[in-house]
Each structure stands twice: as structure tokens, then as C-alpha cells.
Amino acid sequence: MSAPRRALLALVALFVSAGCGSPPPLDKRLETLGSWTATMQLAKERHGAGAITVTYATQLRDAADEAFQQASTTIGSSARTRTDSAYAATALDSLRNAIRQLEAEIGS
Amino acid sequence: MKKWGELALGIVTSIGGFLEVGSIATSAQGGAEFGYQLAWVLLLGTLSLAMLMEMTGRLAAVSKRTYADLLRERFGFRFFVVPLVAVFVVSLLVLMSEIGGVAIALQMASGIDFRWWAIPIALLGWFLLWRGNFSIVEQGTAMLGLVAISFAVGALVLHPTWPTLGRALLPSLPSHDHARYWYLAVAILGASISPYLYLFYSAGAVEDEWTIEHLSVNRVTAGAGNVFGGGLAIAALVTAALVLAPRGIRVEHYEQIALLLATPLGRTGFVLFIATLFVTCFGATLEIVLAMAYLLAQGFGWSWSENLKPGKDARFSTSYSVLILLAALPIALGADPLSLTNISMVLTAASLPVTVVPLLVLMNDGDILSSHVNGWPSNLALVVMGLLSLVLLVAALPLQLLGGG
Amino acid sequence: MGALRLFHDVIDAQLVDRHQEKIGRVDELLLELEEGKPPRVATIVIGGAARARRVGRWMVACHRAVHALFGQHEEHESRVQFEAVRCIADTIELDVEADALDSMHLEQWLATHIICRIPGASGERK
Amino acid sequence: MSGRTVALSDLLGRVVRDADGRKIGRIEELNAEISLEQGRSDYVVTGFSVGHFEPFDVIATGNFVQQLVRRFVRATGYSRYEIPWDWMDLSDPEHPRALRRADELPRFG
């Protein structure tokens, strides 16, 4: 098989293995949690304004819940110092509250 | 009058055909994380696509042969295997993402998990391809694709600051997250310059029996149509920049993107977004699976045409039937549509050289194009495009590692 | 039909039968060498095996594996004498019937056994 | 007496050496014409086009690269020999040899 074709195959193989990187650093984790908290708040506001359906809002809540579960089990590995853990805890708390508020909004 | 009908059709096709799961997802992620800043990449992608489609359209109109046909015949099978395998693998991944997009739209509307929708979508798509002829498939999906104009409405309602957007149409370096910025740039280019688009377009020109008189229709369709389509993608970016970025929302799941239109346009915006996602992704699904069947049939010399009854081109119709069902499986098994989309967009960008560089030879071949060969401006643009595609090939993998996912 | 460039005009060209039905491409062209005579353009070969051989051993292995996967062990290849060529232009027309060609076996098998069993498949144009 | 058969794709891209054994390029094209003999009209090969790319020869194995380079790199080192069929020895199709020295062969470009 000619050299360029072998290189192409090696490139593709590398690509497939690229999918699984190392665990993201803490600030990325906090950003993700913040993003989901903001998503919950926007969803609550939009549902209040009658813009989105309960079905859709529930799906958003489930996705946020999944992000919350995943973060709460794995964030320990990225939070080394005590201040990091403090940040992590507050981020997790604000997301949990945001989720609860959305549930209250769509529940009522 | 027939010429005007074809002109309108042409513009409609590229507007409806431009937006699909890749451009919606990458524009939304780009706008959410970098505001207006990546608009120039969308402009570059749109202009490149317009140029490539004009050329493959001219090739088909003048020679009455498709790009895949000429790729095999002019360069031999030994070379043809490379674009064949590259475009086939990449298009299959994009096809999966499109079906994922349609499934997500139906999940948001119905609450039933996207996994259950994958096979029904594939069967509906197969039915339309089996019964419908080329113009029904092309015009039907494109006409519906106009619902994507809702992104433009959403962006306008949010009163974008035009000067900032104007400046964002010029290349600029990011202030933060360099790897992520360039990763999204590559993904956006992959989403706008997809090989299946110009393979489908050149096959469409042959299906519609274009002749030399259609060169003006070709220029307008490839040019104006795509600029309109690109404009809608920029509108999606702007909407994300005005709705998601200020709130620090990053797009991690497709479901979040519906908030883009639900915010400026309320319930109608929400419904319009679901309709847009459903229609544009479904249209793209039909276009991609047909483009893959065309690639195989034209490459191996089978009989092919969406206007023939399936019995008349058995291998062609078997190909799209098998491929559309095959592509639905990963979604039915729960593959995450967003990461599938991102990877397929980056792989698309990486596969560009094998379909861009050969145009340098074909578009300057007097045997094929006689007096309609490329002028020096088109050749210059093509050389720049070829170099860009090589940069994308080299950059795609490292960026996937550093900025991906 | 004047001078012919075998790579440029013949190999990989689209082939059609008497009724302009597409019957594949020139996957290989065989030349007959005879002492003291110019090489004669003898046979057009249509078939996956000939195509695969042109790419390389790995392609031949792939080709054979895919065929074995579908339980097909014999190779469906057509060898048509070059005299059968009627006209050489963008496509090459052969004075043959599509149904008589072994390389069209898959097309015919799919058409009769699967495609035409599904409603809406038979007939000429949609 | 039917002679040996050789596949066209086995000839294309083959390195051709001249009478002195020097590499003069790769087979790019075979030109054929109709010949009427014993009531049969056959196409027979009349000549071989052998292309030579001074700087690019290493990568110019694939026909695609040849066409790309030939189209855009007229200036640098591309030249072509047109070798009549009877000056080409194909007894070993994997190592075609020209029966004349390079300077005696008609050259273009």
C-alpha cells in the first residue's frame, strides 16, 4: 500500500482514539455547572412566559440532572485544594437549587 | 419563464439545503462561547462552498457528467478509491448526525426519547426516496427549509449591534480558549463546506438535465443561494451570541439550542425552532443518503437516477435504502448526537483536500469544459481553497484532541 | 474513430449496452502481445476483482472478504472482446445485452429478488 | 498462436529504461489506432507516451499527481518521449525497455 494511503489510515486511527481525553480541569467543570445553572434559570423564565412546553422543560431538567450527578461524583478528582472544593460545593449547590426551582415552576 | 422558475428553485434549494444539524449546532456553540467573533469563519465557509458548487455545477452543465463520474474516469480507480472512501465514511457520520437532529426535534416536541424516533425517521426518508422523483425530494425539502428564516427573525428581534457584527466578518484572534476557538472554526468550516453538498449539486444538475444555457442559473444558485443560506447560519450564531453568551450558557446538549428562538420569539419561536431542526435535518438526510448512492453508482458505473423506478437502478436504490437504515442504528442505540455532530464536522473538514484539489485539474481541462474552463480568478481562489483544505487536514486532529468534545 | 488514448479515453470509461443501459465501467483492458506485431487491444474486463487488483493486495483481500460475507464465492466478471465496441465518446457503447453479462449478476439478482418485490418498484420512470 | 496477455493498468506508471539502462520516465499513455489485417479491424498500440518529471519523479507514480503537475508545472523538468511500439521491448512487462538511447527518442515539452 502506497505511503500516502498508509498515512491516511494512521491519521484516521488516531482520530478515533482522540475521542477520550483526560478528565477536564476544574475551571472547565465549574463552567459547565454554571452553564447548566443558567440554563435552568432561563428555562424557568421561559416557561413562566409560556414560551416552552412542560415536556421540553422536563427534558432540560433531566439533562441538567445528569450533568449534576456526573459532576458531583467526579468533581472531587479535579478539586485539589480546600478553596477549590469550596468553589465546587457552591457550584453544585447553585445548580441543585436552580433545578429545584425549575421543577417547582413546571410542577405548579 | 422556465429560466426564472429554475432560478427561484435554485435559490430556494441552497437556502433550504444550507442549514442542517452541523451548521445549527456549530453556529450555536460558536455564538455561545465567542459571541460574534466566529462570524468570519461562516463567511469564509459560505464563500468557499459557493465557489465549489459553482464549479461542480458548471462541470455538470457543460460536460453533462457528474463530478464523481469525472473523478473516476480522469484519474483512474486507483486514485478514485481515496475520495470514494473518505467521502463515504465522512458522509455516513454526517448522515447519522442529521438523523440524530431530526430525532432530537421530535423528542423536544413529543417528550418521547430520541432513540425511538431513529428508525421511523429512516423509514419515512426511505419511503420518500423510493416513491418521490428528484424534483420532489429536492424542491420539497428546500421549500420546507425556508422555515429556517426564523433564525433571521430571531436575530433581528434581538437587535444585534451591526458594527460589531461587521467587524466580526473580518478574521480575528480569540482572547481566551485558543484551542477551543480554532476547534469550533474547523467544525464550522466542516459544517459549511461538506463534500456531499457539491456531489449532490453536480448530480442534481445532470438529473435536471442542465445545459450550457444554465450557466447563469448555476452562478446565481451557487452564489446567491449559498450566501442566503450562510446568512441564516450567521443569524443562528448572532442569536446564540445574544441569548446564550451573556448568560454563560455553553451548548452541551441539543435540547439547550431550542432556547435560542424561545427567548426572542416566545412559544412561536420554540415551535419554529423545532420545525427548523426537523425540516432542515430531514432534508439533509435525504440529500446525504442520495449523494452517497450517487457516489457509489457513478463511481462503479451502475445505472442511477432518482427519476427512474427503483427496479431500473437496483444497486443504486438498494444503496440508499441500506445506508439510511444503517445510519439510524447508532442513534437508535443512544449515541449522543451532539458529539457525533462535532466529530463528523471536523472529519468533514479534514476530508476536503481529496475533493477540492482534483478540481484544479478538472476545471482547467479543455477536453471537458472547452471555453468554460476556469479563469485565473477562479484558479487563484481554488488554489487558496486547496491550501486551506490542507491546513484543515493537518489542524483537525490536534484541535480535536485539544479543543474537542 | 481515429486515434485512441487507452488511459484517457478507454479505461475507467462508462460502458452502455445496445439500449444505452449503463453496464459498469472498463475496470481493466487486456492487451495481447505477439512477437513482431503491435500490442492488440483485445479485451474489456468489467468486475470488482479487476478493479481491486489495480489498487493493491489489501483491496483484493477486502473485495474477497466482502463477497465471502455475502456468501458469494465465485467472481462475477465479464470479459468482452474489443470488437464489440460500437462507439467511443463520453461513454463506450458495446454491442451486448445487459442481461447477458455476468458482471450484471448482482443488479439482476437485487432487481428480481428484492427490489421488485416492494410496491412502486417496477416500471420505467417515477 | 495467441501471444501473452498484459493488463493495461500493469503498464501504466511503469518505469521505462533506455538501451543504456538509464531511467527515462514512466508510461503515461498508450496510443492506439485501427489496423485492418486479414479482414479484421483491431485496435493496435502504435506508441507509448513516457513522461519524465525531474524534481517530482519520486511522487509521480499515481496518475493524479502526474496530471496535476503536468498541468501546472510546465516550466520545471517535465518532458515526454513518444516511443513507437516497435522500439519498445515488453518481453518483461514489469520492466519495459526502449530499444534506443534516450537522445535518439522523439522528445516533447
Side-chain angles (χ1 to χ4, degrees), chain A residues 18-69:
Chain A
C20 34
S22 58
L26 182 65
D27 53 12
K28 274 282 174 289
R29 289 278 178 91
L30 294 178
E31 238 177 63
T32 309
L33 287 174
S35 161
W36 278 110
T37 308
T39 308
M40 289 298 103
Q41 286 153 357
L42 180 57
K44 174 171 178 283
E45 180 223 319
R46 286 292 90 203
H47 184 268
I52 58 174
T53 61
V54 173
T55 339
Y56 169 67
T58 322
Q59 287 168 34
L60 268 186
R61 194 276 320 271
D62 297 343
D65 217 34
E66 194 191 304
F68 175 77
Q69 302 305 345

Tab-separated table of all heavy atoms in Angstrom, chain A residues 18-69:
chain	number	residue	atom	x	y	z
A	18	ALA	N	-8.936	9.767	19.628
A	18	ALA	CA	-8.873	11.123	20.204
A	18	ALA	C	-10.130	11.399	21.032
A	18	ALA	O	-10.175	12.337	21.804
A	18	ALA	CB	-8.776	12.151	19.086
A	19	GLY	N	-11.147	10.568	20.837
A	19	GLY	CA	-12.421	10.867	21.492
A	19	GLY	C	-12.275	10.968	22.991
A	19	GLY	O	-12.820	11.860	23.634
A	20	CYS	N	-11.436	10.051	23.606
A	20	CYS	CA	-11.454	10.039	25.082
A	20	CYS	C	-10.203	10.758	25.598
A	20	CYS	O	-9.136	10.187	25.608
A	20	CYS	CB	-11.494	8.592	25.548
A	20	CYS	SG	-10.561	7.523	24.426
A	21	GLY	N	-10.341	11.981	26.035
A	21	GLY	CA	-9.195	12.764	26.579
A	21	GLY	C	-9.121	12.567	28.088
A	21	GLY	O	-9.892	11.789	28.680
A	22	SER	N	-8.190	13.289	28.769
A	22	SER	CA	-8.030	13.137	30.232
A	22	SER	C	-9.165	13.928	30.898
A	22	SER	O	-9.836	14.729	30.277
A	22	SER	CB	-6.682	13.756	30.631
A	22	SER	OG	-6.735	15.120	30.205
A	23	PRO	N	-9.427	13.730	32.219
A	23	PRO	CA	-10.554	14.432	32.887
A	23	PRO	C	-10.350	15.945	32.789
A	23	PRO	O	-9.235	16.432	32.967
A	23	PRO	CB	-10.488	13.943	34.337
A	23	PRO	CG	-9.145	13.330	34.513
A	23	PRO	CD	-8.690	12.859	33.170
A	24	PRO	N	-11.416	16.720	32.456
A	24	PRO	CA	-11.264	18.169	32.250
A	24	PRO	C	-10.822	18.851	33.543
A	24	PRO	O	-11.160	18.399	34.637
A	24	PRO	CB	-12.669	18.616	31.843
A	24	PRO	CG	-13.589	17.521	32.229
A	24	PRO	CD	-12.793	16.269	32.304
A	25	PRO	N	-10.070	19.973	33.437
A	25	PRO	CA	-9.614	20.694	34.633
A	25	PRO	C	-10.802	21.303	35.376
A	25	PRO	O	-11.906	21.401	34.837
A	25	PRO	CB	-8.689	21.766	34.072
A	25	PRO	CG	-9.092	21.915	32.639
A	25	PRO	CD	-9.595	20.569	32.208
A	26	LEU	N	-10.558	21.760	36.593
A	26	LEU	CA	-11.642	22.241	37.473
A	26	LEU	C	-12.395	23.400	36.851
A	26	LEU	O	-13.630	23.389	36.807
A	26	LEU	CB	-11.054	22.682	38.832
A	26	LEU	CG	-12.153	23.155	39.818
A	26	LEU	CD1	-13.073	22.001	40.199
A	26	LEU	CD2	-11.550	23.810	41.036
A	27	ASP	N	-11.675	24.376	36.247
A	27	ASP	CA	-12.428	25.554	35.781
A	27	ASP	C	-13.416	25.158	34.682
A	27	ASP	O	-14.524	25.659	34.594
A	27	ASP	CB	-11.485	26.667	35.323
A	27	ASP	CG	-10.489	26.157	34.291
A	27	ASP	OD1	-10.726	25.019	33.809
A	27	ASP	OD2	-9.515	26.839	33.997
A	28	LYS	N	-13.028	24.176	33.852
A	28	LYS	CA	-13.985	23.721	32.815
A	28	LYS	C	-15.215	23.132	33.519
A	28	LYS	O	-16.352	23.401	33.130
A	28	LYS	CB	-13.339	22.623	31.958
A	28	LYS	CG	-12.505	23.168	30.802
A	28	LYS	CD	-13.384	23.626	29.630
A	28	LYS	CE	-12.544	24.310	28.553
A	28	LYS	NZ	-12.067	25.663	29.026
A	29	ARG	N	-14.959	22.368	34.597
A	29	ARG	CA	-16.087	21.729	35.313
A	29	ARG	C	-17.010	22.801	35.876
A	29	ARG	O	-18.242	22.706	35.730
A	29	ARG	CB	-15.509	20.921	36.494
A	29	ARG	CG	-14.761	19.673	36.095
A	29	ARG	CD	-15.729	18.564	35.850
A	29	ARG	NE	-15.071	17.347	35.407
A	29	ARG	CZ	-14.667	16.413	36.251
A	29	ARG	NH1	-14.825	16.576	37.539
A	29	ARG	NH2	-14.113	15.320	35.801
A	30	LEU	N	-16.399	23.827	36.483
A	30	LEU	CA	-17.218	24.888	37.095
A	30	LEU	C	-18.002	25.609	36.002
A	30	LEU	O	-19.182	25.947	36.173
A	30	LEU	CB	-16.320	25.871	37.864
A	30	LEU	CG	-15.608	25.274	39.096
A	30	LEU	CD1	-14.717	26.309	39.763
A	30	LEU	CD2	-16.643	24.750	40.090
A	31	GLU	N	-17.342	25.820	34.861
A	31	GLU	CA	-18.031	26.490	33.740
A	31	GLU	C	-19.257	25.672	33.316
A	31	GLU	O	-20.346	26.201	33.118
A	31	GLU	CB	-17.059	26.592	32.556
A	31	GLU	CG	-16.804	27.989	32.055
A	31	GLU	CD	-15.765	27.984	30.937
A	31	GLU	OE1	-16.053	27.367	29.881
A	31	GLU	OE2	-14.663	28.518	31.137
A	32	THR	N	-19.073	24.369	33.225
A	32	THR	CA	-20.196	23.513	32.811
A	32	THR	C	-21.329	23.599	33.821
A	32	THR	O	-22.499	23.770	33.445
A	32	THR	CB	-19.691	22.061	32.693
A	32	THR	OG1	-18.533	22.055	31.885
A	32	THR	CG2	-20.750	21.155	32.118
A	33	LEU	N	-20.979	23.537	35.102
A	33	LEU	CA	-22.031	23.610	36.127
A	33	LEU	C	-22.734	24.957	36.059
A	33	LEU	O	-23.969	25.050	36.068
A	33	LEU	CB	-21.418	23.406	37.514
A	33	LEU	CG	-20.984	21.964	37.838
A	33	LEU	CD1	-20.246	21.912	39.175
A	33	LEU	CD2	-22.206	21.051	37.877
A	34	GLY	N	-21.961	26.019	35.874
A	34	GLY	CA	-22.540	27.357	35.761
A	34	GLY	C	-23.463	27.451	34.562
A	34	GLY	O	-24.561	28.017	34.633
A	35	SER	N	-23.001	26.825	33.471
A	35	SER	CA	-23.811	26.852	32.246
A	35	SER	C	-25.148	26.172	32.480
A	35	SER	O	-26.208	26.687	32.094
A	35	SER	CB	-23.025	26.123	31.141
A	35	SER	OG	-23.901	25.746	30.098
A	36	TRP	N	-25.139	25.040	33.165
A	36	TRP	CA	-26.408	24.337	33.394
A	36	TRP	C	-27.285	25.107	34.387
A	36	TRP	O	-28.520	25.159	34.219
A	36	TRP	CB	-26.161	22.906	33.904
A	36	TRP	CG	-25.862	21.964	32.794
A	36	TRP	CD1	-24.682	21.372	32.526
A	36	TRP	CD2	-26.781	21.545	31.769
A	36	TRP	NE1	-24.784	20.604	31.401
A	36	TRP	CE2	-26.068	20.677	30.919
A	36	TRP	CE3	-28.131	21.818	31.484
A	36	TRP	CZ2	-26.654	20.089	29.795
A	36	TRP	CZ3	-28.716	21.222	30.369
A	36	TRP	CH2	-27.978	20.363	29.536
A	37	THR	N	-26.641	25.759	35.363
A	37	THR	CA	-27.445	26.570	36.299
A	37	THR	C	-28.160	27.666	35.523
A	37	THR	O	-29.374	27.865	35.662
A	37	THR	CB	-26.500	27.185	37.355
A	37	THR	OG1	-25.710	26.141	37.919
A	37	THR	CG2	-27.272	27.904	38.427
A	38	ALA	N	-27.400	28.349	34.639
A	38	ALA	CA	-28.008	29.433	33.849
A	38	ALA	C	-29.098	28.872	32.946
A	38	ALA	O	-30.154	29.496	32.751
A	38	ALA	CB	-26.927	30.114	33.011
A	39	THR	N	-28.872	27.663	32.410
A	39	THR	CA	-29.892	27.056	31.537
A	39	THR	C	-31.182	26.827	32.310
A	39	THR	O	-32.281	27.120	31.822
A	39	THR	CB	-29.371	25.704	30.999
A	39	THR	OG1	-28.086	25.915	30.419
A	39	THR	CG2	-30.309	25.102	29.980
A	40	MET	N	-31.036	26.361	33.556
A	40	MET	CA	-32.228	26.120	34.369
A	40	MET	C	-32.966	27.425	34.630
A	40	MET	O	-34.196	27.506	34.515
A	40	MET	CB	-31.815	25.478	35.712
A	40	MET	CG	-31.348	24.042	35.586
A	40	MET	SD	-32.638	22.943	34.947
A	40	MET	CE	-32.115	22.744	33.260
A	41	GLN	N	-32.182	28.471	34.914
A	41	GLN	CA	-32.838	29.764	35.221
A	41	GLN	C	-33.575	30.283	33.987
A	41	GLN	O	-34.723	30.714	34.046
A	41	GLN	CB	-31.786	30.774	35.701
A	41	GLN	CG	-31.307	30.505	37.117
A	41	GLN	CD	-29.900	31.005	37.376
A	41	GLN	OE1	-29.232	31.526	36.450
A	41	GLN	NE2	-29.451	30.855	38.618
A	42	LEU	N	-32.910	30.165	32.802
A	42	LEU	CA	-33.555	30.657	31.560
A	42	LEU	C	-34.803	29.822	31.268
A	42	LEU	O	-35.858	30.358	30.905
A	42	LEU	CB	-32.569	30.583	30.400
A	42	LEU	CG	-33.099	31.072	29.032
A	42	LEU	CD1	-33.599	32.515	29.126
A	42	LEU	CD2	-32.018	30.952	27.971
A	43	ALA	N	-34.695	28.520	31.510
A	43	ALA	CA	-35.854	27.647	31.234
A	43	ALA	C	-37.006	28.020	32.148
A	43	ALA	O	-38.175	28.084	31.721
A	43	ALA	CB	-35.457	26.189	31.457
A	44	LYS	N	-36.696	28.318	33.400
A	44	LYS	CA	-37.753	28.691	34.363
A	44	LYS	C	-38.433	29.969	33.869
A	44	LYS	O	-39.674	30.033	33.761
A	44	LYS	CB	-37.117	28.919	35.737
A	44	LYS	CG	-38.080	29.454	36.813
A	44	LYS	CD	-37.400	29.418	38.188
A	44	LYS	CE	-38.296	29.994	39.273
A	44	LYS	NZ	-38.289	31.506	39.198
A	45	GLU	N	-37.609	30.923	33.447
A	45	GLU	CA	-38.169	32.203	32.992
A	45	GLU	C	-39.008	31.986	31.742
A	45	GLU	O	-40.138	32.463	31.621
A	45	GLU	CB	-37.004	33.157	32.713
A	45	GLU	CG	-37.403	34.529	32.222
A	45	GLU	CD	-36.492	34.989	31.067
A	45	GLU	OE1	-35.271	34.749	31.167
A	45	GLU	OE2	-37.010	35.510	30.054
A	46	ARG	N	-38.492	31.180	30.793
A	46	ARG	CA	-39.208	30.946	29.527
A	46	ARG	C	-40.515	30.208	29.768
A	46	ARG	O	-41.523	30.490	29.121
A	46	ARG	CB	-38.323	30.150	28.560
A	46	ARG	CG	-37.194	30.947	27.940
A	46	ARG	CD	-37.674	32.034	26.979
A	46	ARG	NE	-37.914	33.297	27.620
A	46	ARG	CZ	-38.739	34.233	27.108
A	46	ARG	NH1	-39.425	33.989	26.009
A	46	ARG	NH2	-38.920	35.380	27.738
A	47	HIS	N	-40.476	29.265	30.706
A	47	HIS	CA	-41.726	28.511	30.986
A	47	HIS	C	-42.746	29.434	31.629
A	47	HIS	O	-43.930	29.422	31.263
A	47	HIS	CB	-41.457	27.313	31.896
A	47	HIS	CG	-42.696	26.474	32.132
A	47	HIS	ND1	-43.546	26.670	33.193
A	47	HIS	CD2	-43.249	25.479	31.371
A	47	HIS	CE1	-44.561	25.822	33.127
A	47	HIS	NE2	-44.408	25.087	32.029
A	48	GLY	N	-42.234	30.288	32.487
A	48	GLY	CA	-43.127	31.267	33.136
A	48	GLY	C	-43.785	32.153	32.083
A	48	GLY	O	-44.983	32.451	32.151
A	49	ALA	N	-43.019	32.477	31.015
A	49	ALA	CA	-43.563	33.360	29.968
A	49	ALA	C	-44.382	32.557	28.962
A	49	ALA	O	-44.818	33.088	27.944
A	49	ALA	CB	-42.405	34.052	29.249
A	50	GLY	N	-44.551	31.251	29.235
A	50	GLY	CA	-45.370	30.443	28.332
A	50	GLY	C	-44.686	30.144	27.019
A	50	GLY	O	-45.315	29.776	26.022
A	51	ALA	N	-43.331	30.286	26.967
A	51	ALA	CA	-42.631	30.092	25.684
A	51	ALA	C	-42.323	28.622	25.456
A	51	ALA	O	-42.256	28.173	24.309
A	51	ALA	CB	-41.329	30.893	25.667
A	52	ILE	N	-42.101	27.871	26.532
A	52	ILE	CA	-41.705	26.468	26.287
A	52	ILE	C	-42.676	25.516	26.979
A	52	ILE	O	-43.331	25.876	27.971
A	52	ILE	CB	-40.263	26.192	26.805
A	52	ILE	CG1	-40.132	26.508	28.305
A	52	ILE	CG2	-39.240	26.948	25.994
A	52	ILE	CD1	-38.779	26.126	28.879
A	53	THR	N	-42.770	24.309	26.447
A	53	THR	CA	-43.740	23.324	26.975
A	53	THR	C	-43.146	22.627	28.206
A	53	THR	O	-41.934	22.619	28.418
A	53	THR	CB	-43.990	22.244	25.903
A	53	THR	OG1	-42.717	21.604	25.652
A	53	THR	CG2	-44.535	22.841	24.615
A	54	VAL	N	-44.033	22.002	28.965
A	54	VAL	CA	-43.590	21.241	30.149
A	54	VAL	C	-42.712	20.072	29.696
A	54	VAL	O	-41.665	19.784	30.268
A	54	VAL	CB	-44.831	20.712	30.918
A	54	VAL	CG1	-44.382	19.784	32.031
A	54	VAL	CG2	-45.636	21.879	31.445
A	55	THR	N	-43.136	19.428	28.603
A	55	THR	CA	-42.363	18.270	28.102
A	55	THR	C	-40.920	18.670	27.873
A	55	THR	O	-39.984	18.026	28.334
A	55	THR	CB	-42.947	17.823	26.743
A	55	THR	OG1	-44.273	18.286	26.616
A	55	THR	CG2	-42.857	16.349	26.559
A	56	TYR	N	-40.751	19.782	27.187
A	56	TYR	CA	-39.395	20.229	26.833
A	56	TYR	C	-38.627	20.626	28.090
A	56	TYR	O	-37.472	20.232	28.297
A	56	TYR	CB	-39.484	21.401	25.852
A	56	TYR	CG	-38.181	22.102	25.638
A	56	TYR	CD1	-37.127	21.453	24.991
A	56	TYR	CD2	-37.978	23.393	26.125
A	56	TYR	CE1	-35.913	22.087	24.821
A	56	TYR	CE2	-36.767	24.027	25.950
A	56	TYR	CZ	-35.732	23.370	25.314
A	56	TYR	OH	-34.543	23.996	25.157
A	57	ALA	N	-39.323	21.366	28.969
A	57	ALA	CA	-38.633	21.834	30.186
A	57	ALA	C	-38.172	20.629	31.016
A	57	ALA	O	-37.079	20.620	31.586
A	57	ALA	CB	-39.588	22.714	30.989
A	58	THR	N	-38.991	19.577	31.024
A	58	THR	CA	-38.609	18.380	31.801
A	58	THR	C	-37.350	17.756	31.212
A	58	THR	O	-36.444	17.337	31.930
A	58	THR	CB	-39.751	17.347	31.731
A	58	THR	OG1	-40.988	18.044	31.787
A	58	THR	CG2	-39.656	16.360	32.875
A	59	GLN	N	-37.277	17.743	29.891
A	59	GLN	CA	-36.067	17.162	29.256
A	59	GLN	C	-34.834	17.961	29.638
A	59	GLN	O	-33.773	17.414	29.939
A	59	GLN	CB	-36.234	17.165	27.735
A	59	GLN	CG	-37.219	16.136	27.214
A	59	GLN	CD	-37.564	16.388	25.759
A	59	GLN	OE1	-36.721	16.844	24.984
A	59	GLN	NE2	-38.805	16.116	25.386
A	60	LEU	N	-35.005	19.295	29.645
A	60	LEU	CA	-33.851	20.139	30.035
A	60	LEU	C	-33.458	19.823	31.473
A	60	LEU	O	-32.270	19.679	31.799
A	60	LEU	CB	-34.244	21.623	29.925
A	60	LEU	CG	-33.954	22.326	28.596
A	60	LEU	CD1	-34.274	23.809	28.718
A	60	LEU	CD2	-32.499	22.134	28.176
A	61	ARG	N	-34.481	19.660	32.322
A	61	ARG	CA	-34.199	19.349	33.742
A	61	ARG	C	-33.446	18.032	33.843
A	61	ARG	O	-32.429	17.914	34.535
A	61	ARG	CB	-35.527	19.267	34.482
A	61	ARG	CG	-35.458	19.283	36.007
A	61	ARG	CD	-35.191	17.934	36.640
A	61	ARG	NE	-35.887	16.830	36.009
A	61	ARG	CZ	-37.116	16.422	36.363
A	61	ARG	NH1	-37.735	17.056	37.356
A	61	ARG	NH2	-37.714	15.435	35.735
A	62	ASP	N	-33.892	17.022	33.050
A	62	ASP	CA	-33.212	15.711	33.117
A	62	ASP	C	-31.761	15.837	32.673
A	62	ASP	O	-30.852	15.271	33.289
A	62	ASP	CB	-33.935	14.713	32.193
A	62	ASP	CG	-35.375	14.473	32.672
A	62	ASP	OD1	-35.638	14.809	33.853
A	62	ASP	OD2	-36.206	14.007	31.871
A	63	ALA	N	-31.532	16.618	31.627
A	63	ALA	CA	-30.144	16.761	31.126
A	63	ALA	C	-29.295	17.443	32.208
A	63	ALA	O	-28.157	17.028	32.482
A	63	ALA	CB	-30.154	17.580	29.836
A	64	ALA	N	-29.889	18.476	32.856
A	64	ALA	CA	-29.145	19.191	33.910
A	64	ALA	C	-28.886	18.249	35.092
A	64	ALA	O	-27.799	18.227	35.679
A	64	ALA	CB	-29.954	20.404	34.370
A	65	ASP	N	-29.882	17.444	35.385
A	65	ASP	CA	-29.746	16.486	36.488
A	65	ASP	C	-28.576	15.532	36.212
A	65	ASP	O	-27.741	15.264	37.077
A	65	ASP	CB	-31.060	15.683	36.583
A	65	ASP	CG	-31.400	15.388	38.040
A	65	ASP	OD1	-31.086	16.252	38.878
A	65	ASP	OD2	-31.879	14.273	38.300
A	66	GLU	N	-28.535	15.061	34.972
A	66	GLU	CA	-27.468	14.123	34.588
A	66	GLU	C	-26.099	14.800	34.755
A	66	GLU	O	-25.170	14.233	35.317
A	66	GLU	CB	-27.698	13.751	33.123
A	66	GLU	CG	-26.930	12.553	32.615
A	66	GLU	CD	-27.052	12.474	31.091
A	66	GLU	OE1	-28.211	12.430	30.603
A	66	GLU	OE2	-26.016	12.543	30.427
A	67	ALA	N	-26.021	16.062	34.323
A	67	ALA	CA	-24.753	16.805	34.456
A	67	ALA	C	-24.416	16.954	35.942
A	67	ALA	O	-23.268	16.819	36.360
A	67	ALA	CB	-24.886	18.177	33.801
A	68	PHE	N	-25.447	17.202	36.755
A	68	PHE	CA	-25.240	17.384	38.193
A	68	PHE	C	-24.712	16.087	38.806
A	68	PHE	O	-23.702	16.075	39.507
A	68	PHE	CB	-26.563	17.774	38.852
A	68	PHE	CG	-26.481	17.857	40.354
A	68	PHE	CD1	-25.898	18.950	40.973
A	68	PHE	CD2	-26.933	16.797	41.140
A	68	PHE	CE1	-25.792	19.008	42.355
A	68	PHE	CE2	-26.833	16.846	42.524
A	68	PHE	CZ	-26.253	17.956	43.129
A	69	GLN	N	-25.381	14.949	38.482
A	69	GLN	CA	-24.946	13.660	39.059
A	69	GLN	C	-23.495	13.386	38.678
A	69	GLN	O	-22.660	13.052	39.507
A	69	GLN	CB	-25.838	12.523	38.523
A	69	GLN	CG	-27.327	12.669	38.778
A	69	GLN	CD	-27.663	12.857	40.256
A	69	GLN	OE1	-26.824	12.602	41.126
A	69	GLN	NE2	-28.845	13.376	40.530
